């Protein structure tokens, strides 16, 4: 079964593998892949100096253009951003701008193992331009209702450092009938997974085989929106 991976990092941000290595590995595993490096914004002067790639949407745009030409990328690679550690008030403006450029938009949620500003989950779930809330850590009932209203997909993660929070997240998603996706959040090619392995992540989170299948259908649906 073909997998749809919506969350991955390359050496453009803090990943260890090049974009070529990520794409080649995904293809080997019969997986389509979204390249979603961290976007940390330009709020601080130091970000612009130390992390020019991760501070401007223009750099993401230029890279997409370059790689689309170089690889003749077809229907198995899309590009996006993971909004990371940004002042929650700025999430709507950034998400909207990224969406206009046809980038899939993830927000780095409030997992307890990699802290982001409090209020990030709520800001993300209130924003219609966000596609996926990654590793949210915890979701209140109010936040769950917002996710439903704005049709935002909630991530079940295969990443070791965030995994223990999956069962609680899956439970509230099922209670409120929210749509989930299973992502690797891979920071190297070796962390990408195939469908079989995604099934294991899903079952560890308390999902049935049918529910895992639905997460992949959800990812496929989002993926197709961003094929350009
Ligand atoms: Zn990272
Ligand atoms: Zn990530």
């Amino acid at each position: 079964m073909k997998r749809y991976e919506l969350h991955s990092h390359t050496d453009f941000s803090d990943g260890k593998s090049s974009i070529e290595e990520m794409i080649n590995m995904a293809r080997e595993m019969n997986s389509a892949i979204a390249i979603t490096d961290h976007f940390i914004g330009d709020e601080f002067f130091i970000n612009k100096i130390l992390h020019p790639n991760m501070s401007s949407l223009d750099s993401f745009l230029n890279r997409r253009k370059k790689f689309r030409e170089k690889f003749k990328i077809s229907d198995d690679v899309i590009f996006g951003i993971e909004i990371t550690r940004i002042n929650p008030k700025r999430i709507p403006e950034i998400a909207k701008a990224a969406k206009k450029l046809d980038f899939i938009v993830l927000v780095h949620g409030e997992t307890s193992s990699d802290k982001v500003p409090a209020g990030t989950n709520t800001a993300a779930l209130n924003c219609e331009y966000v596609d996926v809330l990654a590793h949210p850590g915890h979701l209140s009932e109010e936040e769950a209702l917002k996710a439903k209203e704005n049709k935002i997909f909630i991530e079940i993660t295969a990443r070791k450092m965030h995994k223990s929070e999956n069962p609680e997240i899956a439970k509230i998603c099922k209670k409120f009938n929210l749509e989930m996706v299973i992502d690797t959040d891979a920071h190297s090619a070796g962390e990408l997974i195939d469908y079989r392995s995604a099934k294991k992540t899903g079952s560890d989170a308390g999902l049935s085989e049918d529910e895992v299948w639905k997460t992949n259908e959800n990812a496929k649906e989002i993926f197709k929106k961003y094929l350009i």
Side-chain angles (χ1 to χ4, degrees), residues 159-177:
R159 195 156 193 222
K160 276 200 189 85
M161 67 191 287
H162 309 309
K163 242 178 152 175
S164 63
E165 296 167 337
N166 284 340
E168 189 202 318
I169 296 296
K171 203 169 155 192
I172 191 156
C173 286
K174 289 207 237 184
K175 183 173 171 192
F176 286 87
N177 222 354

Side-chain angles (χ1 to χ4, degrees), residues 58-120:
D58 275 352
S59 66
F60 282 78
L61 205 58
N62 291 338
R63 186 173 66 142
R64 180 173 69 189
K65 190 165 175 275
K66 179 177 150 197
F67 281 101
R68 291 190 68 80
E69 280 162 11
K70 189 168 166 190
F71 285 114
K72 297 197 180 7
I73 283 168
S74 55
D75 61 353
D76 61 353
V77 180
I78 61 170
F79 290 81
I81 61 170
E82 181 183 17
I83 297 176
T84 306
R85 264 176 233 107
I86 294 270
N87 178 347
K89 281 190 197 138
R90 291 195 63 207
I91 289 176
E93 143 215 344
I94 293 163
K96 188 178 180 183
K99 201 73 181 236
K100 265 199 180 151
L101 301 171
D102 290 314
F103 285 122
I104 177 175
V105 178
L106 279 61
V107 173
H108 184 304
E110 293 178 55
T111 172
S112 59
S113 52
D114 188 4
K115 293 270 188 201
V116 296
T120 296

